[in-house]
Amino acid sequence: MKENEILLKEQLNDVVMKFVIYKPLVAKAAKAGQFVILRGREGGERVPVTLVDWDAHKGTITVIIQSIGKSTFMFNSLSQGDCFLNILGPLGTPVAIENYGATAVIGGGVGIAEVYPIAKALKAAGNKVISVLGARTKDLLILEPEMKAVSDMTISCTDDGSYGQKGMVTDALRGIVEAGEKINAGFVIGPIPMMKFTSKLMLELGIEPYASLNPIMLDGTGMCGGCRVTVEGKVRFACVDGPMFPARTIDFDELIRRTGEYKDKEKLAVSQCEKDHKCKLGLH
Ligand SMILES: Cc1cc2nc3c(=O)[nH]c(=O)nc-3n(C[C@H](O)[C@H](O)[C@H](O)COP(=O)(O)OP(=O)(O)OC[C@H]3O[C@@H](n4cnc5c(N)ncnc54)[C@H](O)[C@@H]3O)c2cc1C
Ligand code: FES
């Protein structure tokens, strides 16, 4: 086995792949809420992805990647036996796993993969874990069996009603609380508008909200300032101070603006990549 080697690749749906990678030192040190920065080739982009699972004994880490732009398309075209060039981590501050009592764990799209290690750690610490999983449609809903295994209750929702409850995660969360469940803390990961509205609803329902922020990251070590976000009116670096923050004072609108700043360049990079047919990090 080689360092950074893909030992297993599994397709979860058309755009999401799961990779089990040999990376013993990261597997030994990883904690819930942390991430790694991947690079596929020399000169390639540095891409932050969450540590979804790890096995210190086997020396493996698991990451789940959604193809969204040039680098993630390239990563997802790698095969079992291929290697990532670098894997830097574990990075970020682990989520404080305390005994909160009843907790809500909310994941949207690939955010379900990102919230899974938090649900698992909360459950292991003795919390009641109520999970709400959301996706646009049935095919995009991932890790339901894994989330059920670490949750006391799991509700899956799809926007189009093709699976589970029809509607948004916020509708499901409101329903759970209105049915009498008293929840103390809530952890949400997904698209930024979903985290914004879920956090707002949690405050309304008396749940202390936490959200994991995904600004553009470069070095991942607090040096470049690319990942700055505003929390409690102060500048914080998501890569070292987060990515999970208490959500009641996060400036979500600023985050939406800043993550959208490179949209044109990102589109151009994908169309150039498609034109060149370089879809395997130059390996094939
Ligand atoms: C802490 C953290 C954990 C993450 N975990 C996961 C995960 O487990 N699985 C997963 O699929 N995705 C995860 N992401 C998002 C992932 O990093 C981006 O989807 C990826 O960088 C997109 O790169 P691209 O070249 O394919 O797309 P691009 O076309 O370059 O960008 C598409 C979108 O991805 C975001 N993005 C682009 N570059 C970066 C960057 N350097 N850092 C952060 N976001 C960027 C932007 O919002 C952008 O609009 C995470 C992001 C952060 C910050
Ligand atoms: S990514 Fe550079 S400071 Fe956080």
Side-chain angles (χ1 to χ4, degrees):
M1 264 182 297
K2 295 190 290 282
E3 185 99 350
N4 302 346
E5 182 181 339
I6 298 167
L7 302 180
L8 187 92
K9 178 184 180 187
E10 188 187 335
Q11 180 155 6
L12 301 188
N13 61 40
D14 282 354
V15 286
V16 178
M17 302 286 172
K18 170 176 154 182
F19 295 97
V20 178
I21 305 166
Y22 187 61
K23 192 70 187 174
L25 286 179
V26 176
K28 217 166 151 185
K31 294 211 165 54
Q34 291 189 296
F35 64 95
V36 286
I37 287 191
L38 301 178
R39 222 155 54 109
R41 61 174 166 84
E42 216 45 79
E45 242 182 343
R46 300 161 63 88
V47 176
V49 292
T50 303
L51 283 158
V52 175
D53 213 348
W54 49 89
D55 185 328
H57 183 63
K58 292 184 181 155
T60 58
I61 58 169
T62 301
V63 296
I64 292 182
I65 303 178
Q66 176 167 26
S67 299
I68 190 168
K70 182 178 172 181
S71 301
T72 45
F73 274 116
M74 286 178 162
F75 289 169
N76 280 354
S77 70
L78 289 170
S79 310
Q80 198 169 311
D82 289 339
C83 289
F84 284 91
L85 178 67
N86 320 114
I87 301 178
L88 175 70
L91 300 169
T93 299
V95 172
I97 302 296
E98 294 168 17
N99 213 314
Y100 297 96
T103 57
V105 174
I106 320 278
V110 77
I112 299 170
E114 299 175 50
V115 95
Y116 167 74
I118 296 167
K120 192 176 169 187
L122 286 168
K123 183 71 185 151
N127 292 283
K128 179 171 186 181
V129 176
I130 298 165
S131 295
V132 182
L133 318 180
R136 272 184 286 122
T137 185
K138 183 182 177 193
D139 294 345
L140 299 177
L141 196 97
I142 57 170
L143 300 192
E144 191 191 48
E146 288 82 352
M147 287 298 291
K148 277 188 173 164
V150 296
S151 306
D152 295 273
M153 182 202 295
T154 308
I155 295 187
S156 297
C157 327
T158 48
D159 295 359
D160 63 0
S162 52
Y163 184 74
Q165 213 168 292
K166 185 176 190 310
M168 309 270 184
V169 290
T170 41
D171 303 326
L173 180 64
R174 189 185 284 284
I176 293 165
V177 172
E178 283 175 358
E181 198 69 55
K182 169 87 186 86
I183 301 173
N184 301 314
F187 299 82
V188 56
I189 310 186
I192 305 167
M194 172 243 182
M195 292 197 282
K196 174 182 168 177
F197 290 110
T198 307
S199 301
K200 194 164 168 260
L201 175 67
M202 284 186 190
L203 284 172
E204 217 181 277
L205 299 173
I207 303 170
E208 194 56 45
Y210 297 85
S212 185
L213 304 186
N214 54 344
I216 292 191
M217 291 187 180
L218 298 175
D219 62 301
T221 59
M223 307 280 281
C224 71
C227 68
R228 64 187 182 276
V229 291
T230 305
V231 183
E232 284 174 355
K234 294 193 194 100
V235 172
R236 309 292 301 274
F237 290 168
C239 68
V240 286
D241 301 322
M244 185 69 83
F245 290 99
R248 55 170 63 228
T249 56
I250 291 172
D251 188 340
F252 283 107
D253 295 331
E254 177 194 60
L255 181 62
I256 290 169
R257 267 197 316 278
R258 293 201 69 234
T259 48
E261 267 169 23
Y262 300 99
K263 283 269 178 282
D264 292 346
K265 288 197 174 71
E266 288 156 2
K267 261 194 209 147
L268 193 69
V270 174
S271 57
Q272 191 61 45
C273 175
E274 280 166 355
K275 216 169 90 196
D276 294 349
H277 295 290
K278 279 184 192 153
C279 282
K280 244 197 156 195
L281 305 172
L283 291 173
H284 295 266

